[in-house]
Amino acid sequence: YFKIQKVILQLDDEFSMEQLRIMIDDNPKKRLNTTFKSFADKLIAQMIETNKTGNALVYQTAVNQLMVCVNNDQLLFSDIDYALLEKFSNYLIKKGLRVNTISNYIRTVRAIYNKAIKFKVVERSYYPFHDFSIKSEKTAKRAISKDDILKLKQLSLEANSTAERSLKYFLLSFYLRGISFTDLAYLRQSNIIDGRVEYKRRKTHKNYSIKLFPEAQVLFEQLHVDGSDYLLPILPNNTQEDSIETKKVIRQYIKTTNKYLKRMSEQVGLCSPVTTYTSRHSFGTIAKRLGYSNELIAEALGHEYGNKITNIYLDSFDTDVLDAMHKHVIQ
């Protein structure tokens, strides 16, 4: 009983029964023989159970890549050293992956290793990341102008084609202050209240209230399919929200949408391809060029601005002020 009390005091906010079981195991040798894959699989299963499917997919992809690289499902944490990390990095480079994608995979492996140390399945002395540099590069912000958006809108596209829907998804995101594709896909009629789109962003769990201007209202009416529970024809009615399968469906839609947006970008002569995320960058950049403050733009996009502690004491901008900026940007 005393041992269990002692272990509970050591647990962090990510406590689970599996963690407790591992830490009170009287056989340290058994714990230290836990393979990287079996431990990672348990973490991923726990994420799925708690609806953290986005993180679960990231972890699963990184683990899969590492397992293919080392070709050893019995890899122990103590086997992961500087040489293996260098081998993994070079393997990803040879695959042609981008610097930030490689960084994401290696950081995920590091996160799993750190959890393994907390769970007492590997001794801290084996930690291999002290001398290993994880490279990353600043992502270029690819915003487009209102003129560029007009060029895209003026494209002659086949009615009800994938290309036309892709453009409408992009425009909807822009008209709704850069709402993410995932949040768009989950919108229902119940999210529209008194002429506003009310929703909680799945990535940050922050609540948004966005004025529904005619530009967006028209697109919702054009895209909605009768009988669908959702405003857009992306998810079926029997969708298990936030499941791995649903995440994969949305990812595939994003991939397809970006493919068509790239083609359209080339058609109108844009310098860089438009993606589903360009709408968010563009909304902020256009607002900045129109003379709006960084604080107002940050609130419109749901970002923190300046000193977080100071922000606690500041009132939010009046809804009418945000709506006025919103209208100025999109019209």
Side-chain angles (χ1 to χ4, degrees), residues 64-104:
N64 290 347
Q65 291 283 2
L66 180 61
M67 291 300 101
V68 172
C69 173
V70 300
N71 192 27
N72 179 14
D73 285 352
Q74 300 305 307
L75 181 75
L76 299 176
F77 282 93
S78 56
D79 295 329
I80 301 176
D81 55 13
Y82 182 92
L84 188 142
L85 292 174
E86 188 72 15
K87 176 183 177 182
F88 185 40
S89 177
N90 290 333
Y91 164 78
L92 297 172
I93 291 171
K94 289 177 182 177
K95 286 191 69 174
L97 300 182
R98 295 179 178 178
V99 171
N100 286 349
T101 303
I102 294 171
S103 172
N104 186 42

Side-chain angles (χ1 to χ4, degrees), residues 250-266:
I250 292 174
R251 280 190 173 187
Q252 184 57 51
Y253 264 94
I254 291 173
K255 184 177 179 180
T256 301
T257 301
N258 284 341
K259 180 179 74 173
Y260 282 93
L261 287 174
K262 181 180 179 182
R263 291 179 185 175
M264 286 181 264
S265 303
E266 294 170 350

Side-chain angles (χ1 to χ4, degrees), residues 84-133:
L84 188 142
L85 292 174
E86 188 72 15
K87 176 183 177 182
F88 185 40
S89 177
N90 290 333
Y91 164 78
L92 297 172
I93 291 171
K94 289 177 182 177
K95 286 191 69 174
L97 300 182
R98 295 179 178 178
V99 171
N100 286 349
T101 303
I102 294 171
S103 172
N104 186 42
Y105 287 154
I106 297 177
R107 288 178 192 276
T108 302
V109 172
R110 184 177 66 182
I112 294 170
Y113 205 108
N114 285 332
K115 288 179 184 291
I117 291 174
K118 285 185 179 181
F119 290 6
K120 307 298 183 187
V121 299
V122 62
E123 295 176 6
R124 191 175 295 274
S125 59
Y126 283 105
Y127 191 69
F129 291 93
H130 290 304
D131 299 318
F132 189 82
S133 175

